[in-house]
C-alpha cells in the first residue's frame, strides 16, 4: 500500500514535467485485442496469453493491456494522427496488467506512465526522451539511480548478432536456465537480460552487440550521447542492455534504483521504428519512447524519505449544539465549502468537549461553535486554535476570517 498523498504528489510532478516537454496526454482502453498486443510484442499468441490476463468474447480474444506503447501506436495509426503537423508527442498514465508471480516491486496490476515521440528518427528525439525520463526523478528529488544506455543497431545488425549469440551459447546450452534455452531459439538477445547470477557469468564473456552494429546506427548513437552530455545527463554505456521486444532498434536505455531490491528497473525505453509496421501500418513510422513504473517509483521515494506536501490543512471544525444549531451548521458548512474552504462538522451527537478534542486532533485552524444564543444573534463563537483566543463573528463574516489566516 502506498500513501495516496505520495502518489498524488508524484503524479502531479510527473505531469508537470511531461507538460513542460510539450507532451499531450493520451488515454487508451485497458482492454485491447490480443492480436494487437501479440503482434506488437513479436511473440507467439501462446506466450502472450501465458504472460497476460486474457479472455474470449464471441470469436475475439482480448487482453488487459500489459503496456501502452502498442496501444498508443494503434491509436496514432487508427486516428491518422500522422497527418497533424510535425512529430507527435504523447504521454500516458494508467494501469497495466501482467500475469506474473507477485513480489516486491512486481505486481499483477501496476501503473505505468510514459511518453512517446512519433514520426521522427532524429537523434534529438531519443535524447529528449531519455532526458525527460531522468528529469522526472530529478524534479522529485530522487537520488541513487543510474541511467544505462546502449544501441541495438538496425534490424540487420540485430539479426547478425542473434546468429552470433546462438553460436556462442550453443556449447553451454545445458548450463542455461529452461527459459534461456527457449530464448536461444526464439530471441537470444533476451538471454543477455538475465537476472540469474550464474547466467550473468556466461553473459559477461559473450560477444558484444556493438561490434555488429551498422555504421548509421553508430553515428546515431554518438549523436544521442553528445546531446545527453550537452545537457549534463550522466549515463553509463552498457553493451549488454537490450530491450526484450523485437521491434526495438538503435537506442535502448534503462533507469535503475539501488534502493528497491531485486526488481530495480524504474523505467526503460528506446527506439521502436518497426512497431507501426508490425501492427499493420503500410509505412514505417519512426518512434521513440519510455515507460516507467509508478509503484517502484513510490518504493524508491519511501526508501529515501523523499517528502511530499501534507494534505490541505483544515480551515475549521464546526460544532452545533442543539437540533436547530446542528441544522444551521450543516448548511453553513456546505456554504463555506462552496466558498472554497476546507471544513468539517461532527456527525455524531457527542459532547462539546469531545468535539473540541476531535478538532484538535484534526489540527483545525479554527473551531466554530453555534448554540441557541448564537443562532438567535447570527454570530458564531470562533476559537482560534493556534492562539487560544475566542471571538464572536457574524455568520456572513466567517469566510473572511477563515480566509484571512491562509494569506
Ligand atoms: P517494461 O515495459 O517491462 O519495460 O516496464 C517498464 C517499467 O514498468 C519497469 O521499469 C517497471 O518500473 C515497471 N513494471 C514493469 N512490470 C511491472 C510489474 N509487474 N509490477 C510493477 N512494475 C512493473
Amino acid at each position: 500500500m502506498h500513501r495516496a498523498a505520495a502518489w498524488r504528489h508524484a503524479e502531479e510532478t510527473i505531469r508537470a514535467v511531461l507538460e513542460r516537454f510539450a507532451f499531450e496526454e493520451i488515454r487508451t482502453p485497458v482492454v485491447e485485442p490480443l492480436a494487437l498486443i501479440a503482434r506488437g510484442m513479436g511473440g507467439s499468441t501462446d506466450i502472450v496469453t501465458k504472460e497476460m490476463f486474457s479472455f474470449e468474447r464471441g470469436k475475439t480474444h482480448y487482453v488487459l493491456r500489459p503496456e501502452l506503447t502498442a496501444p498508443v501506436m494503434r491509436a496514432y495509426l487508427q486516428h491518422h494522427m500522422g497527418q497533424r503537423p510535425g512529430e507527435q508527442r504523447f504521454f500516458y498514465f494508467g494501469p497495466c496488467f501482467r500475469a506474473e508471480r507477485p513480489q516486491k516491486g512486481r505486481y499483477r496490476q501496476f501503473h505505468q506512465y510514459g511518453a512517446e515521440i512519433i514520426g521522427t528518427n532524429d537523434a534529438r528525439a531519443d535524447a529528449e526522451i531519455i532526458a525527460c525520463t531522468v528529469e522526472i526523478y530529478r524534479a522529485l528529488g530522487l537520488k541513487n539511480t543510474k541511467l544505462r544506455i546502449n544501441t541495438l543497431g538496425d534490424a540487420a545488425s540485430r539479426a547478425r548478432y542473434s546468429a552470433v549469440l546462438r553460436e556462442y551459447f550453443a556449447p553451454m546450452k545445458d548450463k542455461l536456465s529452461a527459459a534461456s534455452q527457449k530464448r536461444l531459439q526464439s530471441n537470444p538477445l533476451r538471454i543477455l537480460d538475465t537476472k540469474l547470477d550464474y547466467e550473468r557469468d556466461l553473459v559477461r564473456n559473450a560477444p558484444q552487440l556493438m561490434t555488429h552494429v551498422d555504421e548509421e546506427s553508430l553515428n546515431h548513437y554518438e549523436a544521442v550521447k553528445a546531446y545527453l552530455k550537452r545537457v549534463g545527463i550522466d549515463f553509463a554505456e552498457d553493451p549488454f542492455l537490450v530491450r526484450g521486444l523485437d521491434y526495438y532498434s538503435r537506442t535502448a536505455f534503462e533507469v535503475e534504483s539501488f534502493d528497491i531490491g531485486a526488481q530495480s528497473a524504474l523505467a526503460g525505453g528506446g527506439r521502436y521504428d518497426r512497431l507501426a509496421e508490425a501492427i499493420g501500418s503500410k509505412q514505417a513510422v519512426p518512434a521513440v519512447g519510455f515507460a516507467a513504473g509508478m509503484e517502484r517509483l513510490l518504493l524508491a521515494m519511501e526508501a529515501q524519505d523523499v517528502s511530499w506536501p501534507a494534505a490541505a490543512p483544515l480551515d475549521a471544525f464546526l460544532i452545533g449544539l442543539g437540533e436547530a444549531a446542528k441544522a444551521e451548521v450543516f448548511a453553513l458548512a456546505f456554504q463555506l465549502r462552496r466558498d472554497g474552504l476546507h471544513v468539517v462538522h461532527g456527525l455524531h451527537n457527542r459532547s462539546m468537549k469531545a468535539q473540541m478534542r476531535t478538532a484538535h486532533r484534526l489540527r483545525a485552524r479554527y473551531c466554530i461553535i453555534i448554540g441557541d444564543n448564537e443562532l438567535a444573534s447570527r454570530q458564531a463563537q470562533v476559537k482560534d486554535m493556534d492562539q487560544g483566543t475566542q471571538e464572536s463573528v457574524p455568520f456572513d463574516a466567517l469566510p473572511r476570517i477563515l480566509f484571512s489566516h491562509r494569506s
Side-chain angles (χ1 to χ4, degrees):
M1 200 220 40
H2 298 289
R3 289 196 213 184
W7 184 292
R8 221 167 86 172
H9 168 63
E11 186 170 337
E12 280 165 10
T13 307
I14 292 164
R15 283 175 183 277
V17 174
L18 288 166
E19 280 167 7
R20 286 206 291 273
F21 275 78
F23 290 107
E24 174 194 348
E25 184 165 10
I26 183 165
R27 298 191 182 188
T28 69
V30 163
V31 176
E32 289 279 3
L34 169 70
L36 166 78
I37 302 290
R39 271 189 258 129
M41 300 189 84
S44 71
T45 51
D46 186 40
I47 298 178
V48 171
T49 44
K50 264 193 217 128
E51 292 176 358
M52 284 167 218
F53 293 102
S54 64
F55 53 96
E56 272 177 81
R57 280 288 176 279
K59 288 203 170 63
T60 313
H61 214 135
Y62 299 96
V63 291
L64 300 182
R65 67 182 180 201
E67 52 107 46
L68 274 102
T69 301
V72 168
M73 184 55 96
R74 190 231 353 105
Y76 172 91
L77 296 170
Q78 188 176 340
H79 301 290
H80 309 291
M81 296 187 203
Q83 290 171 6
R84 308 199 299 187
E87 65 278 353
Q88 301 300 306
R89 309 164 67 95
F90 300 111
F91 83 88
Y92 58 79
F93 215 116
C96 296
F97 304 82
R98 294 183 191 176
E100 303 188 281
R101 191 172 54 80
Q103 53 182 283
K104 183 182 175 192
R106 174 173 294 226
Y107 313 103
R108 285 179 295 239
Q109 171 170 351
F110 59 101
H111 293 74
Q112 281 192 345
Y113 63 90
E116 323 280 357
I117 300 180
I118 305 181
T120 173
N121 57 15
D122 196 297
R124 283 172 300 177
D126 307 47
E128 209 158 277
I129 284 288
I130 297 173
C132 180
T133 310
V134 175
E135 191 62 11
I136 286 170
Y137 301 126
R138 198 195 64 85
L140 283 164
L142 199 73
K143 301 204 172 68
N144 215 11
T145 62
K146 185 173 180 182
L147 165 67
R148 290 177 299 123
I149 65 171
N150 192 20
T151 181
L152 305 175
D154 62 8
S157 14
R158 196 174 168 132
R160 271 198 304 276
Y161 184 53
S162 292
V164 170
L165 278 184
R166 264 189 211 109
E167 223 167 88
Y168 169 78
F169 283 118
M172 50 189 95
K173 190 172 171 194
D174 296 341
K175 293 193 196 147
L176 296 175
S177 65
S180 291
Q181 289 190 14
K182 266 195 216 139
R183 289 174 183 153
L184 198 50
Q185 277 322 306
S186 59
N187 189 355
L189 264 74
R190 285 198 65 187
I191 302 177
L192 303 179
D193 247 352
T194 183
K195 300 282 187 270
L196 302 169
D197 282 339
Y198 67 92
E199 282 192 344
R200 277 202 177 156
D201 290 338
L202 304 177
V203 163
R204 205 163 293 138
N205 296 318
Q208 295 195 1
L209 175 57
M210 198 65 86
T211 47
H212 301 274
V213 167
D214 58 294
E215 195 178 335
E216 229 180 293
S217 296
L218 282 179
N219 292 338
H220 183 89
Y221 186 50
E222 288 306 316
V224 173
K225 287 191 286 181
Y227 286 124
L228 290 177
K229 284 185 187 147
R230 185 86 198 244
V231 288
I233 292 195
D234 287 332
F235 57 84
E237 290 182 68
D238 178 352
F240 293 121
L241 173 72
V242 292
R243 299 289 294 163
L245 306 179
D246 282 348
Y247 56 74
Y248 278 99
S249 52
R250 295 196 170 170
T251 311
F253 68 97
E254 197 166 285
V255 180
E256 211 181 340
S257 162
F258 297 107
D259 295 318
I260 57 174
Q263 301 302 321
S264 61
L266 286 177
R271 181 160 278 287
Y272 52 96
D273 294 344
R274 294 195 304 277
L275 172 62
E277 286 164 302
I279 63 172
S281 170
K282 291 202 178 63
Q283 286 159 14
V285 181
V288 57
F290 80 88
M294 195 62 190
E295 286 80 359
R296 290 187 196 174
L297 167 61
L298 290 168
L299 282 174
M301 283 168 62
E302 279 160 23
Q304 289 179 27
D305 283 327
V306 169
S307 61
W308 52 87
L314 195 57
D315 293 307
F317 189 95
L318 279 68
I319 301 174
L321 303 169
E323 288 313 307
K326 274 188 231 160
E328 182 69 32
V329 157
F330 174 83
L332 208 51
F334 181 82
Q335 186 55 47
L336 290 172
R337 288 164 177 163
R338 186 173 272 179
D339 291 340
L341 288 152
H342 184 182
V343 303
V344 67
H345 60 111
L347 299 176
H348 285 95
N349 289 316
R350 288 163 53 223
S351 70
M352 165 140 146
K353 214 167 134 197
Q355 294 200 57
M356 289 291 273
R357 270 203 305 274
T358 307
H360 268 293
R361 271 209 302 273
L362 296 176
R363 296 177 198 272
R365 182 64 178 76
Y366 291 96
C367 210
I368 298 176
I369 304 149
I370 298 176
D372 289 341
N373 291 344
E374 287 74 23
L375 208 49
S377 63
R378 303 201 68 74
Q379 302 229 351
Q381 291 300 316
V382 176
K383 181 163 184 178
D384 184 323
M385 304 294 271
D386 282 357
Q387 315 281 335
T389 54
Q390 189 163 321
E391 59 176 331
S392 205
V393 176
F395 287 178
D396 55 11
L398 286 171
R400 187 174 51 75
I401 298 284
L402 297 187
F403 274 121
S404 70
H405 82 87
R406 281 196 178 173
S407 48

mmCIF file of all heavy atoms in Angstrom, residues 67 98 100 105-107 110 112 243 265-268 291-293 295-296, ligand 1:
data_model
loop_
_atom_site.group_PDB
_atom_site.id
_atom_site.type_symbol
_atom_site.label_atom_id
_atom_site.label_comp_id
_atom_site.label_asym_id
_atom_site.label_seq_id
_atom_site.Cartn_x
_atom_site.Cartn_y
_atom_site.Cartn_z
ATOM 1 N N GLU A 67 1.112 -3.078 -21.357
ATOM 2 C CA GLU A 67 1.916 -1.865 -21.508
ATOM 3 C C GLU A 67 1.158 -0.948 -22.468
ATOM 4 O O GLU A 67 0.082 -1.313 -22.942
ATOM 5 C CB GLU A 67 3.304 -2.210 -22.073
ATOM 6 C CG GLU A 67 3.254 -3.049 -23.350
ATOM 7 C CD GLU A 67 3.606 -2.275 -24.588
ATOM 8 O OE1 GLU A 67 4.597 -1.556 -24.543
ATOM 9 O OE2 GLU A 67 2.882 -2.384 -25.587
ATOM 10 N N ARG A 98 -0.080 -7.762 -15.819
ATOM 11 C CA ARG A 98 0.749 -8.872 -16.295
ATOM 12 C C ARG A 98 0.554 -10.045 -15.352
ATOM 13 O O ARG A 98 0.556 -9.878 -14.130
ATOM 14 C CB ARG A 98 2.232 -8.477 -16.333
ATOM 15 C CG ARG A 98 2.496 -7.385 -17.364
ATOM 16 C CD ARG A 98 3.961 -7.013 -17.487
ATOM 17 N NE ARG A 98 4.074 -5.795 -18.293
ATOM 18 C CZ ARG A 98 5.209 -5.149 -18.542
ATOM 19 N NH1 ARG A 98 6.351 -5.598 -18.061
ATOM 20 N NH2 ARG A 98 5.220 -4.059 -19.276
ATOM 21 N N GLU A 100 2.012 -12.225 -13.591
ATOM 22 C CA GLU A 100 3.314 -12.602 -13.060
ATOM 23 C C GLU A 100 3.161 -13.058 -11.617
ATOM 24 O O GLU A 100 2.146 -12.801 -10.990
ATOM 25 C CB GLU A 100 4.248 -11.393 -13.101
ATOM 26 C CG GLU A 100 4.369 -10.842 -14.501
ATOM 27 C CD GLU A 100 5.432 -9.766 -14.632
ATOM 28 O OE1 GLU A 100 5.168 -8.619 -14.260
ATOM 29 O OE2 GLU A 100 6.501 -10.097 -15.154
ATOM 30 N N GLY A 105 7.780 -5.007 -5.699
ATOM 31 C CA GLY A 105 8.074 -4.264 -6.923
ATOM 32 C C GLY A 105 7.558 -4.929 -8.187
ATOM 33 O O GLY A 105 7.782 -4.429 -9.285
ATOM 34 N N ARG A 106 6.875 -6.059 -8.031
ATOM 35 C CA ARG A 106 6.329 -6.732 -9.212
ATOM 36 C C ARG A 106 4.910 -7.177 -8.890
ATOM 37 O O ARG A 106 4.703 -7.996 -8.002
ATOM 38 C CB ARG A 106 7.190 -7.937 -9.581
ATOM 39 C CG ARG A 106 6.592 -8.770 -10.706
ATOM 40 C CD ARG A 106 7.540 -9.822 -11.154
ATOM 41 N NE ARG A 106 8.699 -9.175 -11.757
ATOM 42 C CZ ARG A 106 9.243 -9.549 -12.893
ATOM 43 N NH1 ARG A 106 8.737 -10.556 -13.544
ATOM 44 N NH2 ARG A 106 10.290 -8.922 -13.365
ATOM 45 N N TYR A 107 3.958 -6.613 -9.610
ATOM 46 C CA TYR A 107 2.561 -6.853 -9.281
ATOM 47 C C TYR A 107 1.789 -7.271 -10.528
ATOM 48 O O TYR A 107 2.233 -7.048 -11.633
ATOM 49 C CB TYR A 107 1.940 -5.584 -8.676
ATOM 50 C CG TYR A 107 2.831 -4.977 -7.620
ATOM 51 C CD1 TYR A 107 3.604 -3.844 -7.891
ATOM 52 C CD2 TYR A 107 2.953 -5.586 -6.376
ATOM 53 C CE1 TYR A 107 4.461 -3.313 -6.930
ATOM 54 C CE2 TYR A 107 3.809 -5.067 -5.414
ATOM 55 C CZ TYR A 107 4.565 -3.931 -5.697
ATOM 56 O OH TYR A 107 5.423 -3.430 -4.764
ATOM 57 N N PHE A 110 -0.283 -2.953 -12.054
ATOM 58 C CA PHE A 110 0.619 -1.875 -11.663
ATOM 59 C C PHE A 110 0.322 -0.691 -12.583
ATOM 60 O O PHE A 110 -0.550 -0.779 -13.445
ATOM 61 C CB PHE A 110 2.085 -2.330 -11.768
ATOM 62 C CG PHE A 110 2.491 -2.765 -13.146
ATOM 63 C CD1 PHE A 110 3.218 -1.921 -13.976
ATOM 64 C CD2 PHE A 110 2.126 -4.006 -13.642
ATOM 65 C CE1 PHE A 110 3.580 -2.310 -15.257
ATOM 66 C CE2 PHE A 110 2.476 -4.405 -14.925
ATOM 67 C CZ PHE A 110 3.205 -3.559 -15.725
ATOM 68 N N GLN A 112 1.768 2.423 -15.099
ATOM 69 C CA GLN A 112 2.874 2.981 -15.869
ATOM 70 C C GLN A 112 2.542 4.398 -16.299
ATOM 71 O O GLN A 112 1.390 4.722 -16.576
ATOM 72 C CB GLN A 112 3.121 2.158 -17.143
ATOM 73 C CG GLN A 112 3.897 0.890 -16.902
ATOM 74 C CD GLN A 112 4.379 0.248 -18.200
ATOM 75 O OE1 GLN A 112 3.919 0.587 -19.291
ATOM 76 N NE2 GLN A 112 5.291 -0.684 -18.075
ATOM 77 N N ARG A 243 16.492 -4.437 -25.200
ATOM 78 C CA ARG A 243 15.063 -4.414 -24.913
ATOM 79 C C ARG A 243 14.541 -5.736 -25.443
ATOM 80 O O ARG A 243 14.887 -6.158 -26.532
ATOM 81 C CB ARG A 243 14.364 -3.252 -25.616
ATOM 82 C CG ARG A 243 14.858 -1.892 -25.214
ATOM 83 C CD ARG A 243 14.448 -1.496 -23.818
ATOM 84 N NE ARG A 243 13.011 -1.320 -23.673
ATOM 85 C CZ ARG A 243 12.388 -1.292 -22.485
ATOM 86 N NH1 ARG A 243 13.059 -1.474 -21.380
ATOM 87 N NH2 ARG A 243 11.100 -1.099 -22.426
ATOM 88 N N ALA A 265 14.416 -2.027 -11.853
ATOM 89 C CA ALA A 265 14.211 -1.136 -13.008
ATOM 90 C C ALA A 265 13.071 -0.164 -12.736
ATOM 91 O O ALA A 265 11.944 -0.563 -12.462
ATOM 92 C CB ALA A 265 13.910 -1.955 -14.256
ATOM 93 N N LEU A 266 13.391 1.114 -12.799
ATOM 94 C CA LEU A 266 12.354 2.139 -12.616
ATOM 95 C C LEU A 266 11.705 2.466 -13.951
ATOM 96 O O LEU A 266 10.506 2.722 -14.018
ATOM 97 C CB LEU A 266 12.966 3.428 -12.068
ATOM 98 C CG LEU A 266 13.404 3.493 -10.616
ATOM 99 C CD1 LEU A 266 14.053 4.843 -10.351
ATOM 100 C CD2 LEU A 266 12.214 3.291 -9.695
ATOM 101 N N ALA A 267 12.515 2.497 -14.992
ATOM 102 C CA ALA A 267 11.994 2.906 -16.297
ATOM 103 C C ALA A 267 12.871 2.332 -17.400
ATOM 104 O O ALA A 267 14.050 2.058 -17.185
ATOM 105 C CB ALA A 267 11.982 4.425 -16.402
ATOM 106 N N GLY A 268 12.272 2.169 -18.559
ATOM 107 C CA GLY A 268 13.052 1.690 -19.694
ATOM 108 C C GLY A 268 12.453 2.249 -20.962
ATOM 109 O O GLY A 268 11.304 2.706 -20.974
ATOM 110 N N ALA A 291 8.815 4.008 -20.797
ATOM 111 C CA ALA A 291 7.734 3.602 -19.894
ATOM 112 C C ALA A 291 8.342 3.456 -18.514
ATOM 113 O O ALA A 291 9.445 2.928 -18.366
ATOM 114 C CB ALA A 291 7.137 2.274 -20.341
ATOM 115 N N ALA A 292 7.629 3.948 -17.509
ATOM 116 C CA ALA A 292 8.164 3.896 -16.148
ATOM 117 C C ALA A 292 7.114 3.367 -15.193
ATOM 118 O O ALA A 292 5.918 3.545 -15.410
ATOM 119 C CB ALA A 292 8.605 5.295 -15.717
ATOM 120 N N GLY A 293 7.570 2.697 -14.147
ATOM 121 C CA GLY A 293 6.664 2.109 -13.167
ATOM 122 C C GLY A 293 6.402 3.075 -12.022
ATOM 123 O O GLY A 293 7.318 3.681 -11.477
ATOM 124 N N GLU A 295 4.639 2.249 -9.041
ATOM 125 C CA GLU A 295 4.803 1.631 -7.717
ATOM 126 C C GLU A 295 6.276 1.588 -7.321
ATOM 127 O O GLU A 295 6.617 1.832 -6.170
ATOM 128 C CB GLU A 295 4.214 0.217 -7.697
ATOM 129 C CG GLU A 295 2.684 0.170 -7.669
ATOM 130 C CD GLU A 295 2.050 0.386 -9.034
ATOM 131 O OE1 GLU A 295 2.781 0.592 -10.033
ATOM 132 O OE2 GLU A 295 0.801 0.354 -9.112
ATOM 133 N N ARG A 296 7.138 1.274 -8.279
ATOM 134 C CA ARG A 296 8.575 1.217 -7.948
ATOM 135 C C ARG A 296 9.108 2.600 -7.627
ATOM 136 O O ARG A 296 9.976 2.755 -6.780
ATOM 137 C CB ARG A 296 9.358 0.591 -9.102
ATOM 138 C CG ARG A 296 9.052 -0.882 -9.227
ATOM 139 C CD ARG A 296 9.927 -1.544 -10.250
ATOM 140 N NE ARG A 296 9.358 -2.834 -10.601
ATOM 141 C CZ ARG A 296 9.823 -3.611 -11.562
ATOM 142 N NH1 ARG A 296 10.870 -3.227 -12.269
ATOM 143 N NH2 ARG A 296 9.240 -4.766 -11.822
HETATM 144 P P1 LIG B 1 8.671 -2.632 -19.284
HETATM 145 O O1 LIG B 1 7.501 -2.286 -20.165
HETATM 146 O O2 LIG B 1 8.709 -4.074 -18.883
HETATM 147 O O3 LIG B 1 9.974 -2.079 -19.751
HETATM 148 O O4 LIG B 1 8.355 -1.883 -17.914
HETATM 149 C C1 LIG B 1 8.566 -0.501 -17.727
HETATM 150 C C2 LIG B 1 8.567 -0.235 -16.239
HETATM 151 O O5 LIG B 1 7.328 -0.639 -15.665
HETATM 152 C C3 LIG B 1 9.605 -1.046 -15.475
HETATM 153 O O6 LIG B 1 10.838 -0.389 -15.495
HETATM 154 C C4 LIG B 1 8.995 -1.101 -14.090
HETATM 155 O O7 LIG B 1 9.282 0.086 -13.368
HETATM 156 C C5 LIG B 1 7.513 -1.156 -14.368
HETATM 157 N N1 LIG B 1 6.985 -2.542 -14.301
HETATM 158 C C6 LIG B 1 7.011 -3.494 -15.268
HETATM 159 N N2 LIG B 1 6.380 -4.616 -14.866
HETATM 160 C C7 LIG B 1 5.952 -4.388 -13.604
HETATM 161 C C8 LIG B 1 5.208 -5.150 -12.628
HETATM 162 N N3 LIG B 1 4.770 -6.391 -12.887
HETATM 163 N N4 LIG B 1 4.945 -4.570 -11.433
HETATM 164 C C9 LIG B 1 5.356 -3.318 -11.158
HETATM 165 N N5 LIG B 1 6.027 -2.549 -12.032
HETATM 166 C C10 LIG B 1 6.324 -3.055 -13.240
#
